[in-house]
Amino acid sequence: MKRWVMTGLLCMSLPAAAAVQQFMLDNGLQVIVQEDHRAPIVVSQLWYRAGSMDEFNGTTGVAHMLEHMMFKGTQDVPEGQFSKLIAAAGGRENAFTNTDNTVYFEQLQKDQLGLALRLEADRMHNLLLNDESFAKENKVVREERRMRTDDQPQALVYENMMAVAFQSHPYRRPVIGWMNDIENMTVGDAREWYQRWYAPNNATLVVVGDVAADAVKALATQYFAGIASKPLPIRKAQVEPTQVGIKRVNVKAPAKLPYVLMAYHVPVLRDAAQDTEAYALEVLAGILDGSEAARLGRVLVREQRVASQAGASYDLVARGPGLFMLDGTPTQGKTVTDLENALRAQVTTIIQAGVSADELKRVKAQVIANNVYQRDSTFYQAMQLGEYVSAGLPVTAVVDHVAKVQAVTAAQVQAVARKYLVDSGLTVATLDPQPIGKQTTRAPVAGMRHLN
């Protein structure tokens, strides 16, 4: 399960002296450059707007599978050489897949940016896919699923909760895919996915670091301009039907402790200039779980001792619909029902009595402090730019984020709690711990490096 606690608030604001620069190549590749000259490094991230939400039943997990295969080589860069070339230049690289995107990144000395762009452009349209490499990597992905989901009880709860909370939207399917689909996946499935989505007009290149925008533009043009655009499939609107009553799912799995996960359907940021509810939900998550003084830790863990851990999470930016989540582990002698009731009581308190001026001030102070802290990371500057733009939001929304949160009022926080944290839109998933048997130790599988 991903833990998104104040995701947007924990991300940086952009350095005031350097404006974000954007341009587009004739083939549709978006390029975003953020100059940051405090260290002689550069981060390059290539965002493909193709994640698990774009998959079809029967081939779930193919976006993630293709991510693994992207390291298997081209005619000019044989298998294994991509990572070796980056390492030899003193850099590091990796990739990740989520519901919305697949992202490939490198961090290097500033004079090595051309190497990263040359390698990424090459595998954007010259990837070699063969049965032998696919079969080996498929075993790696199966083991990854076992390690990260099947053998992790809280991850199983999250997976089951998503499958129940969403009735029709593809967010209901796991990013890594269902095991049966992985086992029956073919190299043809991966090739079809690559041919469908891997094109410059479905990608955004984000470069942050000690670079000049004009030089980045020249390099991007040199390496990517010769790649032809493709007709992209029409993305049909996928609107989740309105939930009409509480949903419940109970997961039985070997575990030491019970666990409860609650999810409410909520909006995400769509119109950065006009929307206010998403920012209010973000502040609400901070009031419940953003610091030692936040309500869930203070009341449920330390005062009532009904939970050994309790949290709240909300992701401001997404291509699909949003969820506001509460979760926790009950203390010894308490049940998941006790903890669910305690979590719901905290929600009810906010709905009825609102939040205090001190709480609001504390959360807003966190925004400023976290933004200052996160400015030190070129990687997270690039992450936020890529995430916003891939979700269809302007880069100005990144810059405006702090001001938008600072404008949130106590009344707005109370209003979103009253409107969205209601039983008609709630899904509750619980873990019923089963005896833990003798664990089988698995031998490492070659290729387990890119577990994303």
Side-chain angles (χ1 to χ4, degrees):
M1 172 188 172
K2 290 184 178 179
R3 296 286 294 126
W4 300 100
V5 181
M6 300 290 285
T7 305
L9 301 189
L10 290 174
C11 292
M12 77 302 140
S13 65
L14 301 176
V20 179
Q21 299 193 51
Q22 289 180 273
F23 53 91
M24 181 179 290
L25 301 188
D26 291 342
N27 59 10
L29 178 71
Q30 290 191 81
V31 184
I32 300 172
V33 183
Q34 170 65 58
E35 296 184 24
D36 186 337
H37 302 288
R38 289 168 296 173
I41 61 171
V42 63
V43 169
S44 169
Q45 296 180 355
L46 190 59
W47 291 67
Y48 290 95
R49 199 168 185 259
S52 64
M53 71 176 289
D54 301 295
E55 296 169 349
F56 302 113
N57 286 336
T59 56
T60 62
V62 68
H64 173 253
M65 186 71 214
L66 195 276
E67 175 218 313
H68 279 243
M69 295 303 297
M70 284 286 281
F71 292 88
K72 296 306 176 182
T74 67
Q75 188 67 43
D76 293 336
V77 184
E79 183 172 349
Q81 289 302 303
F82 187 107
S83 299
K84 289 181 180 178
L85 288 168
I86 296 295
R92 64 183 183 89
E93 43 66 44
N94 213 321
F96 64 87
T97 305
N98 59 30
T99 54
D100 297 350
N101 307 285
T102 307
V103 184
Y104 302 87
F105 60 85
E106 298 81 30
Q107 181 167 316
L108 295 143
Q109 296 179 42
K110 64 177 183 178
D111 59 352
Q112 295 295 323
L113 176 61
L115 171 65
L117 300 193
R118 174 173 67 84
L119 293 174
E120 289 293 1
D122 179 41
R123 65 179 177 179
M124 176 183 276
H125 68 137
N126 291 325
L127 185 66
L128 297 178
L129 293 166
N130 60 70
D131 289 321
E132 183 180 358
S133 292
F134 182 87
K136 291 179 181 178
E137 205 62 29
N138 186 269
K139 292 180 180 178
V140 172
V141 174
R142 293 185 212 180
E143 184 64 13
E144 181 180 346
R145 179 177 166 93
R146 294 186 188 101
M147 290 174 57
R148 290 192 166 186
T149 303
D150 297 342
D151 293 345
Q152 300 295 324
Q154 289 191 10
L156 280 175
V157 171
Y158 175 79
E159 183 176 87
N160 278 269
M161 182 278 294
M162 293 293 285
V164 171
F166 290 106
Q167 178 177 320
S168 67
H169 195 276
Y171 275 6
R172 72 191 314 272
R173 301 190 293 255
V175 173
I176 198 167
W178 300 113
M179 182 63 88
N180 181 68
D181 287 349
I182 300 170
E183 291 171 342
N184 289 286
M185 196 176 295
T186 68
V187 68
D189 295 323
R191 186 178 293 113
E192 183 180 348
W193 182 264
Y194 178 68
Q195 293 170 347
R196 181 185 300 127
W197 296 116
Y198 278 57
N201 50 316
N202 194 45
T204 300
L205 173 66
V206 183
V207 176
V208 177
D210 191 13
V211 294
D214 288 344
V216 174
K217 184 175 183 178
L219 287 171
T221 302
Q222 177 183 349
Y223 292 114
F224 288 94
I227 305 174
S229 61
K230 295 180 183 178
L232 297 174
I234 296 174
R235 301 181 197 257
K236 296 184 178 180
Q238 299 185 82
V239 179
E240 175 68 14
T242 301
Q243 188 171 323
V244 292
I246 191 168
K247 299 179 181 179
R248 293 187 180 273
V249 58
N250 181 251
V251 177
K252 293 180 180 291
K256 294 181 179 179
L257 298 170
Y259 174 70
V260 61
L261 174 62
M262 302 165 58
Y264 298 89
H265 288 282
V266 295
V268 294
L269 191 62
R270 292 284 180 246
D271 185 334
Q274 300 297 324
D275 289 353
T276 59
E277 290 186 330
Y279 296 107
L281 286 163
E282 197 170 35
V283 172
L284 176 59
I287 286 170
L288 290 168
D289 178 26
S291 70
E292 287 297 313
R295 292 194 183 196
L296 297 186
R298 175 171 52 83
V299 178
L300 303 192
V301 177
R302 295 192 295 277
E303 294 178 8
Q304 298 180 358
R305 297 186 179 180
V306 69
S308 59
Q309 169 275 322
S313 57
Y314 169 69
D315 194 4
L316 179 80
V317 178
R319 284 175 55 200
L323 291 175
F324 189 100
M325 300 189 195
L326 304 173
D327 77 319
T329 301
T331 54
Q332 187 173 8
K334 299 294 184 179
T335 67
V336 288
T337 301
D338 294 330
L339 181 50
E340 178 191 337
N341 290 336
L343 288 166
R344 288 155 72 95
Q346 290 303 304
V347 170
T348 300
T349 298
I350 291 176
I351 290 172
Q352 294 179 346
V355 299
S356 70
D358 286 343
E359 287 178 309
L360 204 60
K361 182 178 180 181
R362 169 179 56 77
V363 172
K364 291 180 179 182
Q366 284 177 255
V367 177
I368 297 172
N370 290 326
N371 271 261
V372 170
Y373 177 77
Q374 292 292 346
R375 285 176 191 168
D376 291 336
S377 172
T378 53
F379 183 82
Y380 282 103
Q381 290 184 49
M383 280 290 293
Q384 195 174 36
L385 285 167
E387 182 182 34
Y388 271 61
V389 171
S390 294
L393 297 166
V395 294
T396 52
V398 180
V399 181
D400 295 341
H401 180 264
V402 171
K404 291 289 187 179
V405 173
Q406 293 286 62
V408 172
T409 66
Q412 288 174 324
V413 175
Q414 185 179 20
V416 293
R418 180 180 294 120
K419 182 176 180 180
Y420 295 110
L421 304 195
V422 294
D423 283 359
S424 59
L426 172 64
T427 300
V428 180
T430 54
L431 172 63
D432 183 359
Q434 304 298 298
I436 300 176
K438 185 177 181 180
Q439 299 298 306
T440 301
T441 302
R442 298 190 183 96
V445 176
M448 289 292 283
R449 182 172 176 277
H450 290 281
L451 293 185
N452 295 289

